[in-house]
């Protein structure tokens, strides 16, 4: 509740992500399943050379960086043109844009009946954004946050996470009705933002 994320906070966030990653890898090894995920292990289906895998990774990473830069620039222009606080643009347009890869991955893996990858992708991406991504951004420049804004939207995020945990309580299964409930919850969240943009102001800035 200090109203800022500085290098001390960023170090704590990056440490938390490292601990999470270590726990996740260890859990997979204990379960005897990790060896299936390493790229040098024997895989089912057509074999792809390591060089091709590395090339695809580099090209994909470059495209993601360029796409992210364009998305941020477009969001800032929209915010300034429509006199909408940049924090609101980040909560809506940019967050939707950066979540599209997770949406495509979730749809593809679900269609192929690989539901664990779908849920793991969404949960893992959010943990990484909250720790590693935010931590690295704060290393570059201190992030100033209005305390009331940070508390309000952190509380909303925790409620959404709790709702997902309730749905997953019966195992890694989310039914259509529960998926619809999550979609409605997001629609209500967007409506909440739209009804009170003047109360937010520029909730986040760099120092």
């Amino acid at each position: 509740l200090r109203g800022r994320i500085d290098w001390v906070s960023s170090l704590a966030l990056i440490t938390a992500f490292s601990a999470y990653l270590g726990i996740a890898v260890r859990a997979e090894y204990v379960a005897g399943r990790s060896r299936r995920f390493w790229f040098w292990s024997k895989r089912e289906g057509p074999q792809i050379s390591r060089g091709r895998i590395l090339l695809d990774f580099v090209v994909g990473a470059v495209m993601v960086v360029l796409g992210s830069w364009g998305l941020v620039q477009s969001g800032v222009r929209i915010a300034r043109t429509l006199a909408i606080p940049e924090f609101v643009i980040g909560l809506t347009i940019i967050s939707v844009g950066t979540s599209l890869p997770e949406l495509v991955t979730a749809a593809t893996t679900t269609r192929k009946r690989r539901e664990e990858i779908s849920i793991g992708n969404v949960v893992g991406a959010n943990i990484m954004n909250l720790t590693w991504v935010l931590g690295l951004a704060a290393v570059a420049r201190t992030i100033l946050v209005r305390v009331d804004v940070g508390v309000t939207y952190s509380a909303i995020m925790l409620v959404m996470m709790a709702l997902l945990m309730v749905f997953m309580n019966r195992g890694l299964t989310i039914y259509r009705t529960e998926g619809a409930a999550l979609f409605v919850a997001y629609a209500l969240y967007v409506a909440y933002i739209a009804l009170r943009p003047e109360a937010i102001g520029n909730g986040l800035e760099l120092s």
Side-chain angles (χ1 to χ4, degrees):
L1 299 178
R2 298 181 304 165
R4 65 179 181 178
I5 303 176
D6 52 19
W7 70 270
V8 176
S9 302
S10 68
L11 181 61
L13 291 172
I14 294 174
T15 301
F17 175 75
S18 300
Y20 155 75
L21 194 61
I23 292 172
V25 172
R26 176 178 172 78
E28 288 297 328
Y29 268 114
V30 170
R33 298 185 297 179
S34 275
R35 61 181 62 92
R36 295 185 301 174
F37 296 116
W38 301 113
F39 71 90
W40 57 77
S41 62
K42 184 177 180 180
R43 298 180 298 273
E44 299 178 357
Q47 298 296 307
I48 303 176
S49 67
R50 298 178 186 177
R52 174 60 185 277
I53 293 175
L54 180 60
L55 177 63
D56 289 346
F57 175 81
V58 172
V59 172
V62 171
M63 293 179 65
V64 167
V65 170
L66 294 177
S68 299
W69 180 85
L71 183 65
V72 171
Q73 295 301 315
S74 299
V76 171
R77 292 193 188 99
I78 293 173
R80 292 175 177 173
T81 300
L82 302 179
I84 300 174
E86 294 181 5
F87 189 66
V88 177
I89 295 295
L91 287 171
T92 53
I93 298 176
I94 294 181
S95 64
V96 170
T98 55
S99 296
L100 289 179
E102 281 79 25
L103 176 61
V104 173
T105 301
T108 302
T109 53
T110 300
R111 183 171 55 85
K112 294 182 178 181
R113 309 192 74 82
R114 298 295 182 98
E115 292 84 359
E116 288 189 7
I117 296 179
S118 177
I119 295 177
N121 170 62
V122 173
V123 174
N126 281 278
I127 292 176
M128 186 171 184
N129 286 333
L130 288 170
T131 55
W132 192 70
V133 173
L134 192 58
L136 286 183
V139 168
R141 297 180 67 179
T142 298
I143 301 175
L144 303 180
V145 184
R146 277 179 44 187
V147 175
D148 57 336
V149 171
V151 171
T152 298
Y153 289 96
S154 294
I156 293 176
M157 178 184 65
L158 291 175
V159 169
M160 295 291 190
M161 292 174 61
L163 184 61
L164 178 62
M165 290 178 63
V166 170
F167 290 158
M168 293 175 58
N169 189 45
R170 291 169 293 182
L172 294 178
T173 303
I174 298 179
Y175 298 98
R176 286 188 176 92
T177 54
E178 297 169 341
L182 291 172
F183 183 81
V184 170
Y186 180 76
L188 293 174
Y189 158 74
V190 174
Y192 171 77
I193 295 175
L195 291 175
R196 59 185 301 272
E198 71 285 348
I200 297 175
N202 286 321
L204 181 149
E205 59 181 303
L206 298 178
S207 172

